[in-house]
Amino acid sequence: MKERILITGGSGFIGSNLAAALLKRANTDVVIADDFSSGDWRNLINVDAEVRAVFCDDPQLLQDIANGHFSAIYHEAAITDTTIMDQKLMMNVNTDAFAAILEASSKSGTRVIYASSAGTYGNSPAPNSIGSGEEPENIYGFSKLAMDRIAARWYDKHSAPIIGLRYFNVYGPGEHHKNEREGTKTASMILQWFQSIQAEKPIRMFEFGEQRRDFVYIGDVIGANLAALETPRSGVCNVGSGKARSYNDIVNNLNRILNIDYPVEYIHNPYPFFQDHTEADLTESKTLLDWQPQWTLEQGMDDYIRLLQIGHRGPVETA
């Protein structure tokens, strides 16, 4: 009998990569629920999944969840633009809809794996550990922390595990659409700066490029998600590389890969909530998921730039 796995937000960056990876498994069907407000249909061209153009708390979808139509649920749908300041909108979309999914899944005893975020840590000192320094700097980070807290209240009432994955700075194929929106671009700086180089435009970086982030390749993110299908208990864990790298490191790697010496234009940072240093403590990830990252920044960027150079836009081939 085939597994039938639901992915909300399945046309987005992580959701589409996850769908492609799950479909490589034997006896697995995937159902994608996405309102296409921020995802991209092009990510699904080569992903043979059932697609429903609905919001993630659509009444019929919640009824299907409650009736046990799915063997597992991946909840990736969210507002991911961290510059949005509409508090009610952010909480409605990110937090309230998640609560509805948990209530429905509790009736059927369906495993839920959901996207949390390193934004829950704000600018608290790194390395970032579960249960410590959870002090978000914006409404996006708070909405994700609220999700983790809602999930924790369901642990004892939910017969199947609920697993939260706090993504750090994810990059890789499938994120092009995040750089094509009007207004704020939310794709990784790796893609943004690669495209700047290709267009012979300036690389602009906040002064002076020494901010450090935990950059994690999409292949590792998918590995963590697949591991979450097997974990026997509920909990939250970080999904990162476990090693912070600077924005200058990104440009240095681009120069190395492309064999160039591209100049950088340093600019003032206008965002007071900008995280200066994130680094995932992976203790809980190893314990809860029996998972650890496989890609260094250099390896991930080598693979990603190779795919970009041949025009590959869809989900990663290495998942």
Side-chain angles (χ1 to χ4, degrees):
M1 184 175 178
K2 281 193 171 184
E3 283 190 300
R4 195 162 182 253
I5 297 177
L6 172 67
I7 305 175
T8 70
S11 74
F13 174 28
I14 295 173
S16 61
N17 275 282
L18 181 56
L22 287 167
L23 287 169
K24 293 177 183 178
R25 294 158 49 103
N27 298 315
T28 301
D29 281 336
V30 172
V31 177
I32 287 171
D34 200 312
D35 69 354
F36 291 89
S37 60
S38 60
D40 194 321
W41 61 271
R42 290 171 293 182
N43 280 342
L44 301 178
I45 290 175
N46 297 312
V47 177
D48 187 10
E50 177 187 336
V51 180
R52 302 185 189 181
V54 296
F55 192 66
C56 58
D57 65 354
D58 173 75
Q60 184 58 58
L61 183 66
L62 292 177
Q63 190 61 55
D64 288 350
I65 291 171
N67 289 341
H69 289 195
F70 308 107
S71 53
I73 299 163
Y74 282 99
H75 180 52
E76 304 294 325
I79 293 174
T80 58
D81 185 346
T82 60
T83 65
I84 289 177
M85 295 294 111
D86 187 329
Q87 298 181 52
K88 187 175 188 296
L89 176 65
M90 188 73 77
M91 294 300 289
N92 283 160
V93 173
N94 287 8
T95 308
D96 295 346
F98 177 57
I101 287 172
L102 287 183
E103 183 171 0
S105 62
S106 71
K107 297 173 182 176
S108 56
T110 306
R111 177 184 297 258
V112 177
I113 302 158
Y114 69 94
S116 185
S117 171
T120 55
Y121 298 115
N123 266 314
S124 60
N128 307 114
S129 303
I130 303 297
S132 176
E134 293 167 342
E135 301 171 5
E137 294 281 339
N138 57 14
I139 185 60
Y140 168 77
F142 177 74
S143 74
K144 291 295 184 176
L145 181 60
M147 288 173 65
D148 293 338
R149 289 171 173 171
I150 289 170
R153 290 185 174 95
W154 277 100
Y155 288 169
D156 293 337
K157 300 180 287 183
H158 206 279
S159 60
I162 305 168
I163 302 100
L165 304 179
R166 286 185 178 169
Y167 301 143
F168 280 66
N169 282 63
V170 187
Y171 66 96
E175 63 168 334
H176 268 81
H177 64 283
K178 299 175 74 174
N179 213 30
E180 295 171 349
R181 302 173 185 164
E182 292 185 10
T184 303
K185 297 181 185 298
T186 59
S188 72
M189 299 314 302
I190 294 169
L191 176 60
Q192 291 193 45
W193 289 336
F194 173 80
Q195 291 179 330
S196 293
I197 292 170
Q198 295 298 99
E200 298 184 351
K201 294 181 178 180
I203 287 181
R204 292 190 172 93
M205 186 186 303
F206 293 149
E207 299 170 335
F208 286 99
E210 289 303 323
Q211 303 92 340
R212 291 180 292 162
R213 293 288 186 87
D214 190 321
F215 300 99
V216 56
Y217 194 42
I218 186 64
D220 276 331
V221 171
I222 299 311
N225 273 276
L226 296 179
L229 277 176
E230 310 299 331
T231 187
R233 66 176 177 87
S234 298
V236 180
C237 60
N238 293 325
V239 177
S241 69
K243 184 175 182 179
R245 301 291 296 271
S246 73
Y247 282 100
N248 286 329
D249 286 339
I250 298 295
V251 174
N252 290 339
N253 273 313
L254 285 170
N255 283 330
R256 172 184 61 81
I257 295 166
L258 301 173
N259 194 27
I260 57 175
D261 185 13
Y262 211 79
V264 173
E265 178 184 329
Y266 291 106
I267 61 174
H268 173 68
N269 179 2
Y271 300 113
F273 53 79
F274 190 82
Q275 291 174 297
D276 289 323
H277 183 193
T278 65
E279 184 172 290
D281 181 306
L282 299 178
T283 302
E284 189 68 13
S285 313
K286 295 172 185 175
T287 302
L288 181 66
L289 301 180
D290 190 26
W291 168 87
Q292 56 187 358
Q294 302 298 311
W295 296 82
T296 65
L297 178 64
E298 284 72 20
Q299 291 168 335
M301 286 189 64
D302 284 348
D303 193 61
Y304 189 19
I305 300 305
R306 174 185 64 83
L307 292 171
L308 290 173
Q309 288 178 316
I310 62 174
H312 181 87
R313 291 181 58 108
V316 68
E317 297 175 338
T318 53

